[in-house]
């Protein structure tokens, strides 16, 4: 079945030449494959790619919760939509940690993204030592507060245990499955896995029922990302 494979480039690459090389390699390598691949480059490279590349979908790594106004440095959902973006990652753990994004802010961002017609990819997950189900439950409760049923269905949930992100310490598939099943019991939404995904382990998450993958570090290596997409 068709899976959703998201590439989160984070704050990389640092120049447009490299970004274009990576983009073109990935574009070529995923051509004709069955999954839906979404590239989420930094805002500045988005404008270079997002319009006019049929077949590939784009997402941003964040958005503001207002559409315009006096918010220095922010990029609004309307701007992203205008660029040709279809998806937006919201509540990534790096945003929560380094930019102090609270669940209340994430809730506002989700609502703004949905209102604009973007598909939000909401990231949730526990820190090392925290109770998986309790954290997921609390995050979902606040992040999704007040979102109407019709909109709720559109949100994609990415389960990303924080201790597994960027560490190489991926979450064993049976443990990730527990989170996936817990989320699926609450919501009839797509659930992705993210956290140190590489081509060796990608398939394991699909086999336990995940609807796709959120790939960070490995998405910067075109060969590896293409392999992940093929194996999923
Ligand atoms: P990682 O990142 O694959 O480098 O662990 C995951 C993510 O950014 O969501």
């Amino acid at each position: 079945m068709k899976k959703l494979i998201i590439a989160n480039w984070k704050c990389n690459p640092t120049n447009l030449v490299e970004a274009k090389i990576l983009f073109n390699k990935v574009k070529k390598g995923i051509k004709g494959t069955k999954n839906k691949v979404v590239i989420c480059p930094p805002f500045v490279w988005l404008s270079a790619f997002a319009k006019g590349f049929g077949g590939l979908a784009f997402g941003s790594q964040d958005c503001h919760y207002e559409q315009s106004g006096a918010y220095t440095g922010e990029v609004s959902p309307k701007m992203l939509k205008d660029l040709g973006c279809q998806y937006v990652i919201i509540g990534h753990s790096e945003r929560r940690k380094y930019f102090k994004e609270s669940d209340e802010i994430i809730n506002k961002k989700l609502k703004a993204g949905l209102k604009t017609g973007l598909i939000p990819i909401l990231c949730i997950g526990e820190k090392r030592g925290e109770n998986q189900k309790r954290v997921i439950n609390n995050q979902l409760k606040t992040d999704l507060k007040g979102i109407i049923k019709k909109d709720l269905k559109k949100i994609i949930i990415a389960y990303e245990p924080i201790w597994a992100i960027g560490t190489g310490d991926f979450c064993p598939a049976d443990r990730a499955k527990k989170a996936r099943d817990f989320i699926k019991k609450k919501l009839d939404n797509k659930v992705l896995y993210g956290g140190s995904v590489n081509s060796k382990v990608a398939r394991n998450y699909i086999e336990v029922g995940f609807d796709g993958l959120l790939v960070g570090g490995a998405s910067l290596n075109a060969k590896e990302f293409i392999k992940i997409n093929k194996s999923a």
Side-chain angles (χ1 to χ4, degrees):
M1 230 180 50
K2 195 169 168 166
K3 301 294 169 195
L4 190 58
I5 312 295
I6 317 268
N8 176 15
W9 288 5
K10 310 195 183 193
C11 191
N12 303 289
T14 53
N15 63 76
L16 184 56
V17 174
E18 280 179 40
K20 277 189 173 160
I21 293 172
L22 175 60
F23 175 73
N24 285 322
K25 281 187 187 166
V26 170
K27 197 176 127 193
K28 208 170 141 200
I30 63 166
K31 212 174 162 193
T33 55
K34 68 177 196 315
N35 296 323
K36 172 119 188 161
V37 175
V38 181
I39 311 286
C40 301
F43 287 132
V44 282
W45 310 145
L46 249 183
S47 58
F49 304 142
K51 272 198 175 155
F53 285 102
L56 263 177
F58 288 89
S60 70
Q61 300 170 14
D62 183 33
C63 70
H64 188 39
Y65 51 76
E66 295 290 350
Q67 299 295 2
S68 64
Y71 302 101
T72 303
E74 290 298 322
V75 175
S76 83
K78 261 195 182 161
M79 293 169 186
L80 295 167
K81 186 83 180 157
D82 185 60
L83 270 185
C85 256
Q86 294 169 37
Y87 295 82
V88 56
I89 298 173
I90 295 179
H92 191 281
S93 67
E94 286 151 15
R95 303 256 2 131
R96 292 177 189 257
K97 180 177 172 193
Y98 299 120
F99 305 100
K100 309 281 174 269
E101 272 188 25
S102 63
D103 287 300
E104 287 74 17
I105 288 176
I106 289 161
N107 176 253
K108 283 166 88 170
K109 291 187 173 191
L110 282 172
K111 287 177 178 162
L114 285 163
K115 199 170 168 193
T116 320
L118 295 170
I119 302 171
I121 301 155
L122 168 64
C123 301
I124 55 171
E126 79 283 5
K127 292 185 190 136
R128 195 180 291 283
E130 281 183 334
N131 183 292
Q132 186 188 51
K133 286 181 187 161
R134 191 177 315 133
V135 171
I136 291 174
N137 197 40
N138 289 341
Q139 286 179 333
L140 288 179
K141 207 163 139 195
T142 314
D143 295 349
L144 303 177
K145 197 172 172 185
I147 296 177
I148 55 170
K149 238 187 178 170
K150 174 170 78 64
D151 280 344
L152 202 59
K153 279 197 290 197
K154 297 175 190 157
I155 300 173
I156 295 161
I157 310 288
Y159 169 64
E160 300 205 297
I162 295 174
W163 49 270
I165 298 178
T167 56
D169 190 11
F170 54 83
C171 181
D174 56 341
R175 185 185 159 121
K177 183 186 185 309
K178 283 189 186 142
R180 180 233 168 245
D181 293 351
F182 183 72
I183 297 165
K184 286 272 188 189
K185 252 190 225 159
K186 295 178 155 291
L187 300 164
D188 185 23
N189 290 37
K190 280 200 173 122
V191 183
L192 315 179
Y193 170 78
S196 295
V197 171
N198 61 38
S199 61
K200 290 193 183 85
V201 299
R203 184 75 210 156
N204 299 347
Y205 300 102
I206 303 301
E207 277 170 3
V208 296
F210 282 94
D211 301 298
L213 303 163
L214 177 45
V215 187
S219 72
L220 295 170
N221 177 335
K223 256 194 181 166
E224 181 64 3
F225 184 69
I226 291 162
K227 261 197 193 172
I228 290 172
N229 176 46
K230 281 197 180 134
S231 72

